Amino acid sequence: MDDLHHTCQWGTGKRWGKTETETGMTRLALSDADKQARDWFVKTTENLGCKVTIDEMGNIFAVRPGLRKDKPPTFVGSHLDTQPTGGRYDGILGVLAGIEMLKVLNDNWIETEYPVGVVNWTNEEGARFPISMCSSGVWAGSIPLATAHNLREVHPGTATQAAHQQVPTG
């Protein structure tokens, strides 16, 4: 829960209760808030001994080596981006479950036979760029890379909104 609440500082949405943890989330894919959460994910998984790679869609793969390095890893995970008015568990819970798995393995000195990892898929919600499960779809071969790269945003991210606001003159 500490990691969940910590990561909610990036993209905090509307308050629905009295405590600081009773808020929704607004962390659209590839926004400044998403970048902060993604940077946290990379640093956290590297600190847990993972090798991190990022593909052409921005999907982040954190791999903990196994005894047999000749086999592909088994991944768990989800996404760090949310709907425009998402909840605190929206997507991130799957990523945090994977990070917790890595912590348990490390804390108990467990070596796995094969590599294991955690993945953060980019734009899984499709809230900013209008195809849900877009980047995992590219990774799986069901969505062409060019199609994904040519998507136009339908819900601007925070940085984009600020750049397009006009300041009144006069």
Side-chain angles (χ1 to χ4, degrees):
M1 289 305 289
D2 290 340
D3 282 344
L4 175 75
H5 295 312
H6 175 76
T7 59
C8 287
Q9 68 183 298
W10 306 301
T12 302
K14 293 183 181 181
R15 182 172 304 281
W16 53 266
K18 294 180 181 179
T19 70
E20 68 181 45
T21 61
E22 292 176 328
T23 66
M25 295 301 302
T26 301
R27 190 169 41 234
L28 297 176
L30 305 176
S31 64
D32 289 343
D34 187 41
K35 179 173 183 343
Q36 291 172 301
R38 293 163 64 84
D39 289 347
W40 170 86
F41 174 73
V42 168
K43 181 179 176 186
T44 298
T45 54
E46 285 178 341
N47 288 341
L48 290 168
C50 292
K51 178 182 178 199
V52 174
T53 58
I54 302 171
D55 72 8
E56 66 274 1
M57 285 301 297
N59 297 318
I60 306 172
F61 301 90
V63 178
R64 181 181 188 264
L67 295 172
R68 295 187 57 188
K69 295 170 179 50
D70 62 329
K71 301 294 180 185
T74 298
F75 284 99
V76 298
S78 192
H79 54 93
L80 297 170
D81 63 297
T82 71
Q83 290 290 335
T85 56
R88 284 187 159 241
Y89 304 105
D90 184 6
I92 196 169
L93 193 58
V95 174
L96 291 174
I99 289 171
E100 189 62 25
M101 170 199 68
L102 295 173
K103 288 178 181 179
V104 168
L105 292 172
N106 285 354
D107 289 349
N108 292 285
W109 298 88
I110 295 172
E111 292 184 279
T112 57
E113 186 72 19
Y114 300 103
V116 295
V118 183
V119 61
N120 169 50
W121 300 111
T122 301
N123 194 51
E124 276 305 272
E125 291 287 8
R128 185 171 179 194
F129 302 97
I131 297 179
S132 62
M133 299 175 285
C134 179
S135 296
S136 60
V138 170
W139 180 84
S142 63
I143 298 172
L145 180 63
T147 298
H149 279 181
N150 288 312
L151 290 174
R152 299 179 78 113
E153 68 180 345
V154 294
H155 194 293
T158 307
T160 305
Q161 286 175 332
H164 290 279
Q165 289 178 348
Q166 300 263 335
V167 177
T169 58

